[in-house]
Amino acid sequence: MRISTSLLLLVLAFIAPSFPLRAAERQTIHFTGTVTDVNGKPLEGATVQINNMREIKVTEGLGNGTSVYFSKKLNGLSDADGKYDVPLIFEPVGQPRATCILWFEKKGYVREYRTINFSPVSQTNGPMAVVLKEGLILSGNLNRGSPTSSAFTSLLIQGRTYKDNFLTDSKGNFEIYVPQGEYQVSAGHGNTSVRLDGVKAGSTNLVLRSSELVWSEVTIGREFDDFCRTMNQFYSYFFLKTNIDWDLLKQEYRPIVSKAKKPKELAESLQPMLAKFQDLHIAIEYPGGTLGTWSAPWNYNGNGDTIRSIIESPTICGKYAAVGRVKPDGFGYFLMINQSAATPELVKQAAEAIVKLKDSPGFIIDLRRANGGSEPLAVEIAKLFCAQKTVYAKSKYRNGSKHTDFTKEYDRVIEPFDNPYTKPVVCIIGPGTVSSGEGFAKMMISLPNVTTVGLRTRGASGNPKRYQVGQTGVVVTLSSWVDMMPNGETFEGRGIPPDVTVDEPPAAYTDKDPTLAKALEVLRQKVAGAKAAK
């Protein structure tokens, strides 16, 4: 898979305001002005966007390792007088000038751009008057011939005096407005490109369709080569897989993979090759199914019946979690049931239940079933125990042709809660704590009042991204980042050890929970010590 030039331009446009961030006060700058037609008539309802991004809350590690924070929708609509006001919220540090692009659109008019150089310390930039010219429609559908094509695909519209990129909707439909003239409409490039030539402005019901893939050793071999180039560029954990000769592995499997005659066969032939990486986050999708590539055996270091027997009047937050008190100690207890089932509503319900237990002398956070999901949602729970801004992890992405080329490391942080729980906490972990669950565990580990009990976590955090294998209908997910402890130590394949280890055989958990028993013992000691210190 190749990254289209148009997509790259969008990414580059977005990262243009590259502030080298550290702790700083967030500031707001307002882009203001008017939108009119060629006759000076105000245009109501014109969309004004910053870098064509409709909503961004946190964007990190884009090529240069910077972090830019936005807390509002980065778009606005012009009012009845054609006036617009678009706020940009960010953290500027040591950068006297910055650059971004404003996009102005309204149905029936040709899109306009303005490149803005502004000072991050100013409050407003403008006003800027923009004139939109009426355009002629170009509409239709892009069908790339793959049932797993990306939801939004970039189109290049190119004429004698006009050239621009546009995104289709999730079904490949597009409706754009251009000046009068003839155009070439295209998408993709190389073996997977599609295009129409001599398209007149005003044309509708256009169809761009890839020719059907011919399943031959030549074409599938070529698609395999393209995928290997993609993996070589973006897969993040090559540097840890010192037992793999990447060039030799490609040579070994190319003739095998090339013989595939349908998507399922291709997926099955890729599976043993990718299994050699022993990466939990490498998986293969094909129409009608999904194949994992590797999974290490593990046992749950807990007993559900024992846990349920000691929690009084629990608040059940769907299939996500339960919150209650431990009898007879009165400790608070957050039990992760299934982290991947988290939703904002269920997390809010759990957070409210935790806050109601603020009078508890101690708290248990049980992450033995923290099986991955949304790390930002995990932050919403962890921050309830955080008194000051805390770095809980570092990350970096591939950024170059070499397997050791990465962006700069950037911090992942927990912001403090207004009224946090700072009494003793025990966090229970084990091999069921994995992926974003390990992110949750790192959040708790980073807090000074937390002690971890149990076994090592699974050691698998990839932030996986999906890559198409050409037009075959097969998609491979690959780890995209290197996840690290705050000190920069990588735990992939090794896991995160607890402060207090409870290493019992699976049979010991048949009718009791030795890990929970030790966690309660440790928490009682911590609570007693805290009382004695007063």
Side-chain angles (χ1 to χ4, degrees):
M1 176 185 174
R2 305 180 181 91
I3 296 181
S4 70
T5 303
S6 55
L7 178 58
L8 181 60
L9 288 173
L10 287 177
V11 173
L12 290 175
F14 171 63
I15 65 174
S18 54
F19 310 113
L21 299 181
R22 54 182 182 268
E25 291 295 327
R26 292 189 181 183
Q27 298 184 14
T28 303
I29 186 169
H30 288 267
F31 296 95
T32 62
T34 58
V35 183
T36 64
D37 65 13
V38 293
N39 297 315
K41 178 183 177 182
L43 291 179
E44 181 179 3
T47 302
V48 186
Q49 301 176 33
I50 298 177
N51 292 340
N52 202 32
M53 300 295 182
R54 298 182 187 278
E55 182 175 7
I56 300 173
K57 291 186 178 178
V58 180
T59 299
E60 302 172 292
L62 292 177
N64 56 7
T66 62
S67 301
V68 182
Y69 298 81
F70 303 102
S71 62
K72 286 189 177 182
K73 286 190 175 182
L74 303 185
N75 70 299
L77 295 175
S78 56
D79 61 17
D81 296 322
K83 295 180 179 180
Y84 63 89
D85 183 341
V86 182
L88 169 61
I89 299 178
F90 54 88
E91 293 183 1
V93 177
Q95 182 78 6
R97 302 292 293 174
T99 301
C100 69
I101 299 175
L102 265 63
W103 307 51
F104 298 84
E105 287 186 281
K106 182 175 174 61
K107 185 174 181 178
Y109 293 82
V110 179
R111 184 163 67 188
E112 286 286 337
Y113 307 88
R114 294 293 185 273
T115 299
I116 309 296
N117 296 308
F118 65 96
S119 170
V121 298
S122 65
Q123 299 299 310
T124 61
N125 192 88
M128 176 182 295
V130 175
V131 177
L132 296 185
K133 300 177 182 179
E134 289 190 45
L136 298 174
I137 191 171
L138 284 179
S139 67
N141 178 265
L142 169 65
N143 185 326
R144 297 295 297 278
S146 169
T148 55
S149 292
S150 300
F152 300 94
T153 302
S154 180
L155 290 174
L156 173 62
I157 312 297
Q158 187 169 2
R160 183 174 298 177
T161 60
Y162 178 85
K163 179 180 178 181
D164 206 348
N165 289 279
F166 295 85
L167 292 178
T168 70
D169 68 13
S170 60
K171 296 181 180 179
N173 298 317
F174 60 91
E175 180 181 318
I176 57 186
Y177 293 85
V178 297
Q180 188 170 1
E182 286 193 358
Y183 295 90
Q184 179 190 91
V185 183
S186 61
H189 49 89
N191 299 323
T192 60
S193 65
V194 290
R195 79 181 196 187
L196 294 176
D197 294 313
V199 178
K200 293 184 179 181
S203 299
T204 59
N205 300 318
L206 299 170
V207 177
L208 286 82
R209 189 182 308 277
S210 296
S211 58
E212 186 175 351
L213 178 69
V214 177
W215 286 77
S216 68
E217 290 190 27
V218 172
T219 57
I220 300 306
R222 191 163 54 214
E223 302 287 36
F224 173 78
D225 292 340
D226 282 349
F227 166 71
C228 288
R229 281 190 286 270
T230 296
M231 184 169 179
N232 189 69
Q233 181 179 357
F234 294 107
Y235 180 61
S236 55
Y237 285 122
F238 272 115
F239 76 102
L240 290 179
K241 313 299 179 179
T242 55
N243 61 320
I244 295 177
D245 186 324
W246 175 232
D247 290 331
L248 186 62
L249 190 65
K250 290 185 293 183
Q251 292 174 19
E252 177 185 354
Y253 276 89
R254 191 183 193 280
I256 299 171
V257 173
S258 298
K259 290 182 171 61
K261 298 298 183 183
K262 54 185 178 180
K264 185 178 180 181
E265 290 180 9
L266 177 59
E268 290 172 343
S269 63
L270 285 171
Q271 186 183 38
M273 169 187 167
L274 297 176
K276 296 184 182 297
F277 287 86
Q278 295 188 357
D279 186 331
L280 184 67
H281 289 98
I282 298 181
I284 309 168
E285 304 170 20
Y286 62 92
T290 300
L291 296 175
T293 60
W294 180 80
S295 180
W298 62 280
N299 294 302
Y300 172 56
N301 59 328
N303 182 287
D305 291 337
T306 301
I307 297 169
R308 285 188 289 271
S309 69
I310 70 166
I311 301 180
E312 290 185 298
S313 305
T315 298
I316 307 300
C317 307
K319 296 181 179 180
Y320 162 62
V323 181
R325 286 188 189 272
V326 174
K327 55 185 180 184
D329 302 89
F331 299 147
Y333 201 114
F334 171 85
L335 173 65
M336 177 67 73
I337 299 173
N338 182 356
Q339 186 176 3
S340 60
T343 66
E345 294 75 19
L346 292 177
V347 171
K348 180 180 178 181
Q349 183 182 3
E352 291 174 348
I354 290 172
V355 171
K356 290 179 180 178
L357 296 175
K358 186 173 175 55
D359 62 332
S360 301
F363 225 101
I364 288 181
I365 305 295
D366 191 339
L367 301 182
R368 289 176 287 180
R369 293 286 192 186
N371 60 344
S374 170
E375 194 164 304
L377 289 179
V379 171
E380 294 302 306
I381 299 298
K383 74 178 184 181
L384 302 178
F385 301 86
C386 180
Q388 61 183 12
K389 187 174 182 179
T390 301
V391 175
Y392 72 89
K394 292 180 180 293
S395 303
K396 60 183 179 182
Y397 290 85
R398 281 288 304 281
N399 184 31
S401 59
K402 297 179 182 178
H403 294 168
T404 53
D405 288 342
F406 289 96
T407 64
K408 294 179 181 179
E409 296 176 5
Y410 66 92
D411 296 338
R412 308 209 304 275
V413 302
I414 315 171
E415 297 290 345
F417 190 59
D418 291 338
N419 189 17
Y421 186 95
T422 56
K423 299 174 189 176
V425 176
V426 166
C427 178
I428 310 179
I429 59 176
T433 312
V434 64
S435 193
S436 291
E438 290 172 286
F440 199 158
K442 293 202 297 293
M443 296 173 204
M444 302 308 301
I445 291 168
S446 68
L447 303 177
N449 58 323
V450 176
T451 301
T452 52
V453 174
L455 292 172
R456 278 184 179 268
T457 63
R458 191 95 58 92
S461 180
N463 194 7
K465 307 298 182 188
R466 301 170 75 250
Y467 300 95
Q468 296 182 49
V469 184
Q471 297 183 76
T472 64
V474 174
V475 173
V476 177
T477 61
L478 298 172
S479 294
S480 70
W481 71 6
V482 177
D483 196 0
M484 296 167 284
M485 304 297 290
N487 63 2
E489 181 180 345
T490 304
F491 60 92
E492 179 75 14
R494 298 187 298 112
I496 304 167
D499 298 317
V500 180
T501 298
V502 181
D503 191 3
E504 296 286 344
Y509 294 89
T510 302
D511 55 5
K512 57 183 179 179
D513 193 330
T515 302
L516 176 56
K518 173 57 75 172
L520 290 169
E521 176 188 331
V522 171
L523 187 55
R524 288 169 187 143
Q525 292 172 353
K526 291 185 64 174
V527 169
K531 289 180 179 178
K534 290 184 178 180

